[in-house]
C-alpha cells in the first residue's frame, strides 16, 4: 500500500508561494522513487475558527475540540492518517503565517496535556502525541527573503522543538527566495527546484536528508554584496515608482 504524503500549504499565496514551489519539487522526487501518494491542502482555503483557549479538548477521552462546525475535524484525521506531513510555509515577520498558527492552536488535542512536570532535558516534545503514528515524519519546507536563516527562523524552530521535539521534524529552509522567484529569470529557481527534487529522491531512498543536502538547500544563491545591492534598489525605481507593484503583478 502506498504511503501517504500530506502537504499543508500555509502560505496565503497558495500556488504562487515560493516555498510551495520547492515543496512540490521535493514531493516529486519522493514519489518518483517510492510508493507514495500526495495530497495538497491550502490552509487559507479552509474554514478554521480560532481556538477558544478552553482546554476542554484535553478533558475529553477522544481529545477532540469543542468546535465541530469547521474543517478542523477532517483535517486532523488527514494528519493522523498521513505517513509524512509536510508543512510548506514561508517566513512571515519572523514566524509562521497566520493561517498556520490558527490551525496549530486548534490541533492542541493532538498532544498530551501539560501536567506541571519538569521540562524534558533530552530535547523531546514537551507534550507528546495523543495518538502516535509509528514512523510518521514531519517536514518543514520554508523559504524566506533573509540571508541569516539561523537567526530569523529561531522563533519557528523553538516552537517546533517544543511541540515536536528537537529530533521530531526535518527542517529544509532556503534564503533569498523572493529574489530567486521574481528577479532571477527562472534559471535560479529551476536550479533550486532541481536540488529539492534530488533531496526528495534521497529521502525516498534513505528515509532522511543528509546534512550536506540540507546545507546545499540553504546555501544563498547571491553574494551578500549583490543581495544588499538588490534590496537597496528593490523598493523604488529612479522615477519613484513602487517596484513591489510589479512584483505583485508577476505573482498573480
Amino acid at each position: 500500500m502506498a504511503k501517504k504524503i500530506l502537504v499543508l500549504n500555509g502560505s496565503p499565496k497558495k500556488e504562487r508561494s515560493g516555498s510551495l514551489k520547492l515543496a512540490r519539487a521535493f514531493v516529486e522526487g519522493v514519489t518518483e522513487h517510492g510508493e507514495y501518494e500526495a495530497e495538497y491542502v491550502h490552509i487559507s482555503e479552509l474554514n478554521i475558527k480560532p481556538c477558544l483557549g478552553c482546554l476542554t479538548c484535553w478533558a475529553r477521552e477522544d481529545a477532540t475540540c469543542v468546535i465541530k462546525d469547521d474543517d478542523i475535524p477532517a483535517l486532523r484525521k488527514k494528519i493522523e492518517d498521513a505517513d509524512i506531513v509536510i508543512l510548506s510555509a514561508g517566513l512571515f515577520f519572523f514566524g509562521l503565517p497566520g493561517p498556520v498558527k490558527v490551525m496549530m492552536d486548534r490541533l492542541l488535542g493532538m498532544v498530551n496535556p501539560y501536567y506541571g512536570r519538569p521540562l524534558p532535558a533530552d530535547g523531546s516534545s514537551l507534550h507528546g502525541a495523543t495518538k502516535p503514528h509509528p514512523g510518521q515524519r514531519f517536514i518543514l519546507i520554508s523559504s524566506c527573503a533573509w540571508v541569516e536563516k539561523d537567526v530569523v527562523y529561531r522563533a519557528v524552530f523553538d516552537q517546533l522543538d517544543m511541540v515536536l521535539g528537537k529530533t521530531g521534524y526535518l527542517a529544509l529552509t532556503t534564503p533569498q527566495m523572493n529574489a530567486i522567484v521574481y528577479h532571477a529569470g527562472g534559471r535560479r529557481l529551476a536550479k533550486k527546484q532541481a536540488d529539492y527534487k534530488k533531496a526528495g529522491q534521497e529521502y525516498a531512498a534513505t528515509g532522511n536528508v543528509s546534512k550536506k543536502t540540507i546545507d546545499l538547500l540553504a546555501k544563498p544563491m547571491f553574494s551578500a554584496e549583490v543581495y544588499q545591492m538588490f534590496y537597496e534598489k528593490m523598493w523604488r525605481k529612479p522615477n519613484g515608482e513602487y517596484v513591489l507593484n510589479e512584483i505583485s503583478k508577476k505573482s498573480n
Side-chain angles (χ1 to χ4, degrees), residues 36-248:
Y36 296 90
E37 57 183 29
E39 178 182 1
Y40 289 80
V41 174
H42 296 299
I43 298 174
S44 62
E45 290 183 348
L46 300 179
N47 172 27
I48 301 179
K49 297 180 180 179
C51 175
L52 299 175
C54 64
L55 301 183
T56 55
C57 55
W58 279 347
R60 292 187 180 84
E61 188 173 343
D62 60 2
T64 57
C65 181
V66 67
I67 302 172
K68 307 293 185 183
D69 59 346
D70 67 359
D71 291 329
I72 280 295
L75 180 62
R76 177 170 168 171
K77 182 68 166 56
K78 288 180 184 290
I79 294 173
E80 290 174 343
D81 290 345
D83 297 288
I84 302 173
V85 179
I86 298 177
L87 174 59
S88 171
L91 188 72
F92 279 38
F93 208 7
F94 310 116
L96 294 170
V100 178
K101 180 62 170 68
V102 175
M103 176 195 73
M104 291 179 67
D105 288 348
R106 287 290 310 287
L107 296 175
L108 179 66
M110 294 187 70
V111 300
N112 293 312
Y114 170 58
Y115 292 107
R117 298 167 183 162
L119 300 181
D122 60 358
S124 60
S125 167
L126 271 59
H127 289 281
T130 54
K131 294 182 179 179
H133 179 148
Q136 186 180 57
R137 292 296 305 274
F138 289 88
I139 302 174
L140 170 70
I141 296 181
S142 181
S143 61
C144 68
W146 288 82
V147 177
E148 302 85 351
K149 74 173 194 68
D150 291 335
V151 175
V152 297
Y153 274 104
R154 190 170 295 157
V156 173
F157 293 156
D158 282 348
Q159 182 178 22
L160 294 180
D161 287 352
M162 289 185 281
V163 175
L164 300 173
K166 291 182 180 296
T167 61
Y169 65 100
L170 170 66
L172 306 178
T173 57
T174 294
Q176 301 181 339
M177 194 61 184
N178 280 0
I180 294 172
V181 171
Y182 301 123
H183 298 281
R187 178 173 58 86
R188 285 186 173 86
L189 175 59
K191 172 63 170 64
K192 190 60 71 173
Q193 287 174 310
D195 290 341
Y196 267 84
K197 183 176 180 179
K198 289 180 182 177
Q201 294 169 348
E202 179 182 335
Y203 184 88
T206 68
N208 210 343
V209 177
S210 67
K211 184 180 184 303
K212 180 179 178 181
T213 299
I214 293 173
D215 290 343
L216 174 65
L217 300 179
K219 184 178 180 180
M221 302 194 82
F222 302 93
S223 69
E225 294 76 17
V226 169
Y227 200 58
Q228 183 176 351
M229 186 186 309
F230 161 76
Y231 262 96
E232 286 175 348
K233 297 179 179 179
M234 174 178 173
W235 299 108
R236 296 283 181 185
K237 290 184 176 181
N239 64 3
E241 184 179 347
Y242 194 39
V243 178
L244 201 60
N245 289 335
E246 291 190 359
I247 296 176
S248 181

